[in-house]
Amino acid sequence: MSENTLVNKLKSRKIQPTAMRLLVLKFLVEKQAAVSLNLLETHFTRSDRTTLYRTLKTFEEKGLVHRIDDAGDSTKYALCPANCTCTYPNDTHLHFFCTDCENTYCFTDLSIPNFALPDQFIPEKGNFVISGHCPACAA
Ligand SMILES: [Zn+2]
Ligand SMILES: [Zn+2]
Ligand SMILES: [Zn+2]
């Protein structure tokens, strides 16, 4: 993905493109699966940590990424589909966590059902994770 495409991707979410934001976005785009916070922390230097956390927070607030809490030991981030608003349940999709390679996959085409929750429970976000073996590990 070209620098220009990355800049436009940020702008489409009303995010000012800064050097760090472009680096984080590039890193997320290059990975096929969701990226763990551990991996991001390792990739960026210690001095960048505060900026990294702030960047991820901004990305999440602007709907560029969503956070996934799967069965692994780290929070993960994945890019949202272009028109995602991250609202429950419309923009909430299924995730698959591979217990072998610990990758998390977004199935953005598989929406999670709108469960009828008991009275007075107000849903805001859904984090639907199925775990098992991905095709690469099952082979
Ligand atoms: Zn989203
Ligand atoms: Zn796997
Ligand atoms: Zn996802």
Side-chain angles (χ1 to χ4, degrees):
M1 195 177 272
S2 73
E3 171 99 4
N4 223 357
T5 315
L6 293 172
V7 168
N8 286 335
K9 211 168 165 57
L10 287 178
K11 283 185 174 167
S12 73
R13 289 293 183 174
K14 298 191 165 51
I15 303 169
Q16 266 313 108
T18 62
M20 182 64 173
R21 285 170 179 172
L22 284 167
L23 285 175
V24 176
L25 177 60
K26 188 163 183 282
F27 192 76
L28 291 170
V29 167
E30 280 170 358
K31 303 282 160 194
Q32 294 296 318
V35 177
S36 73
L37 185 57
N38 285 349
L39 194 66
L40 283 157
E41 285 171 339
T42 319
H43 182 75
F44 293 96
T45 61
R46 192 167 286 276
S47 59
D48 284 335
R49 291 283 161 84
T50 317
T51 325
L52 173 65
Y53 301 140
R54 222 183 297 132
T55 301
L56 290 169
K57 193 161 178 276
T58 304
F59 282 6
E60 202 187 346
E61 283 169 0
K62 300 284 189 182
L64 186 68
V65 302
H66 55 281
R67 194 168 23 164
I68 310 151
D69 298 302
D70 59 23
D73 57 0
S74 176
T75 298
K76 286 181 183 158
Y77 293 89
L79 290 166
C80 285
N83 48 5
C84 179
T85 55
C86 289
T87 47
Y88 181 93
N90 300 334
D91 280 331
T92 307
H93 53 262
L94 198 80
H95 291 106
F96 189 93
F97 175 72
C98 175
T99 51
D100 303 314
C101 63
E102 302 198 337
N103 277 337
T104 300
Y105 301 86
C106 287
F107 293 141
T108 49
D109 291 341
L110 301 179
S111 317
I112 72 166
N114 188 4
F115 299 103
L117 293 169
D119 281 352
Q120 286 159 21
F121 286 86
I122 304 161
E124 276 184 351
K125 291 194 171 188
N127 218 309
F128 207 91
V129 182
I130 292 180
S131 60
H133 313 283
C134 79
C137 295

